[in-house]
């Protein structure tokens, strides 16, 4: 007994390995649950009905309530101790206490979704539901049908989280004032608005200002309205993919999208891949986007230089003429000071250019003697370092 008592004082979970005799020993179990509340699971049925033991367990670990006897799960003091720590403990309370307004209020003030464990009657009680959605808007899901149609309750919920609109009644999802509150808090809540409000200019404009991607839930008509699309792409450039065809051909719209997020150029119409302003803005952010440019812009030195200043590997997408331009290739090699790999995308002649190899040697700290005029192609050191370039 002394050995078991010493063990559970040090680690309460040891109770699970004790004999039935010791699991029914009040002193041993009390010490175990003080150290590890979940050990109550391994106590005898008699001790799981002992209020002092259960209270100690719940104080240490509130989910221990589930292992208490039915009688103690109906004890107000015991259950209150659990729900004050986490309202989810209401799940293991007796039916009587789940009908107790005071108990349920304590639970939902601490954990709004604990409303799901309240009695049907209290899920129809406005005061209780209001407290629940104030703590966590998701609690609206477990409110009664009548309260999911109560504007005061729903507005309180969507003020906390606009996405709670999905749990509102059809009537309130068609209520402009309610939906405006929701989309101002979370633009994508537009998804849960009625069809008529997804075609309402004011509602959609508020939604895309908060989250540009909400444009995907707007009506087809508004996805083609410039005012709406501009507001969306200024918030998030990738919203361009949800715009109507005419908007993806509109230079002003696309330029705003690309300024916000370079990769938005993926969603622009093909005709704008030849627009120097748009491609220049894109490659300034992500050099590899040069791959989307028209052939004429891949041969534009200013655009290509901007691309490789941002990302040396963009040289891969330059025209053959610019891949043969020693100044352009040097710019790529000097990006971040170590990108000798840029030679892989240079023309064949430049890959064996002594000046570029010497530059590469300096960038990689190779001994200059390894690249003498007579030996720079024969040196085993050089070949080891430059074989990755695809051969000279």
């Amino acid at each position: 007994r002394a050995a078991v008592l010493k063990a559970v004082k040090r680690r309460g979970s040891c109770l699970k390995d004790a004999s039935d005799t010791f699991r029914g020993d009040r002193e041993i179990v009390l010490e175990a649950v003080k150290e590890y509340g979940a050990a109550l699971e391994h106590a005898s049925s008699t001790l799981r009905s002992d209020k002092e033991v259960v209270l100690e367990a719940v104080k240490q670990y509130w989910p221990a309530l589930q292992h208490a006897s039915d009688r103690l799960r109906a004890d107000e003091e015991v259950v209150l101790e659990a729900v004050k720590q986490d309202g989810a403990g209401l799940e293991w309370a007796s039916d009587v206490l789940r009908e107790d307004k005071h108990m349920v209020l304590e639970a939902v003030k601490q954990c709004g979704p604990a409303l799901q464990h309240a009695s049907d009657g209290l899920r129809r009680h406005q005061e209780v539901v209001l407290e629940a959605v104030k703590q966590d808007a998701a609690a609206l899901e477990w409110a009664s049908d009548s309260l999911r149609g109560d504007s005061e309750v729903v507005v309180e919920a969507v003020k906390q989280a606009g996405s709670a609109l999905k749990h509102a009644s059809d009537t309130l999802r068609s209520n402009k004032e309610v939906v405006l509150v929701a989309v101002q808090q979370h633009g994508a809540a537009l998804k849960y608005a009625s069809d008529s409000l997804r075609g309402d200019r004011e509602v959609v404009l508020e939604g895309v200002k908060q989250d540009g991607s909400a444009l995907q839930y707007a009506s087809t008509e508004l996805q083609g309205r410039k005012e709406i699309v501009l507001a969306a792409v200024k918030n998030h450039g990738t919203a361009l993919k949800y715009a109507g065809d005419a908007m993806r051909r509109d230079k002003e719209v696309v330029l705003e999208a690309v300024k916000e997020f370079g990769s938005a150029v993926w969603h622009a119409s093909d005709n704008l891949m030849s627009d120097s302003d748009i491609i220049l803005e894109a490659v300034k952010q992500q050099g590899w986007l040069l791959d989307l440019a028209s052939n004429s812009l891949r041969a534009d030195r200013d655009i290509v230089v901007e691309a490789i200043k941002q990302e040396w590997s963009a040289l891969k997408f330059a025209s053959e003429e610019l891949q043969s331009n020693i100044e352009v290739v040097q710019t790529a090699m000097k990006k971040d000071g170590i990108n000798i790999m840029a030679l892989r995308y240079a023309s064949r002649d430049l890959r064996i250019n002594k000046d570029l190899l010497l530059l590469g040697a300096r960038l990689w700290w190779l001994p200059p003697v390894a690249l003498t005029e007579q030996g720079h192609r024969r040196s085993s050191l050089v070949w080891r370092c430059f074989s990755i370039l695809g051969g000279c």
Side-chain angles (χ1 to χ4, degrees), residues 366-380:
L366 296 180
V369 69
L371 293 170
T372 61
E373 182 175 354
Q374 295 181 344
H376 76 274
R377 293 190 64 201
R378 296 192 302 271
S379 166
S380 61

Side-chain angles (χ1 to χ4, degrees), residues 90-91 93-100 103-104 117-119 122:
L90 187 65
E91 178 180 1
S94 66
D95 290 344
V96 172
L97 289 182
R98 285 194 274 159
E99 293 176 349
D100 184 285
M103 184 64 68
V104 172
H117 306 301
S119 66
L122 290 179

Side-chain angles (χ1 to χ4, degrees), residues 237-248:
T238 57
L240 183 64
K241 67 182 174 181
Y242 305 118
D245 291 344
M247 292 296 96
R248 288 189 281 123

Side-chain angles (χ1 to χ4, degrees), residues 77-97:
E77 183 182 1
V78 172
V79 175
L80 194 57
E81 182 62 44
V83 301
K84 281 184 175 179
Q85 293 180 54
D86 193 316
L90 187 65
E91 178 180 1
W92 297 301
S94 66
D95 290 344
V96 172
L97 289 182

Side-chain angles (χ1 to χ4, degrees), residues 209-233:
K209 282 180 178 178
Q210 200 285 324
D211 181 351
S213 67
L215 183 63
Q216 65 187 295
Y217 305 117
S219 65
T220 301
E221 178 189 352
L222 293 184
Q223 287 175 341
R225 186 176 295 186
K226 189 167 183 175
E227 175 193 21
I228 300 291
V229 177
L230 271 174
V233 299

Side-chain angles (χ1 to χ4, degrees), residues 317-338:
F317 307 115
S319 66
E320 291 183 4
E321 179 185 354
L322 291 180
Q323 288 175 340
S324 299
N325 185 299
I326 192 168
E327 292 178 356
V328 171
V329 174
Q330 283 177 330
T331 300
M333 291 179 67
K334 291 177 180 178
K335 177 73 173 71
D336 299 329
I338 56 170

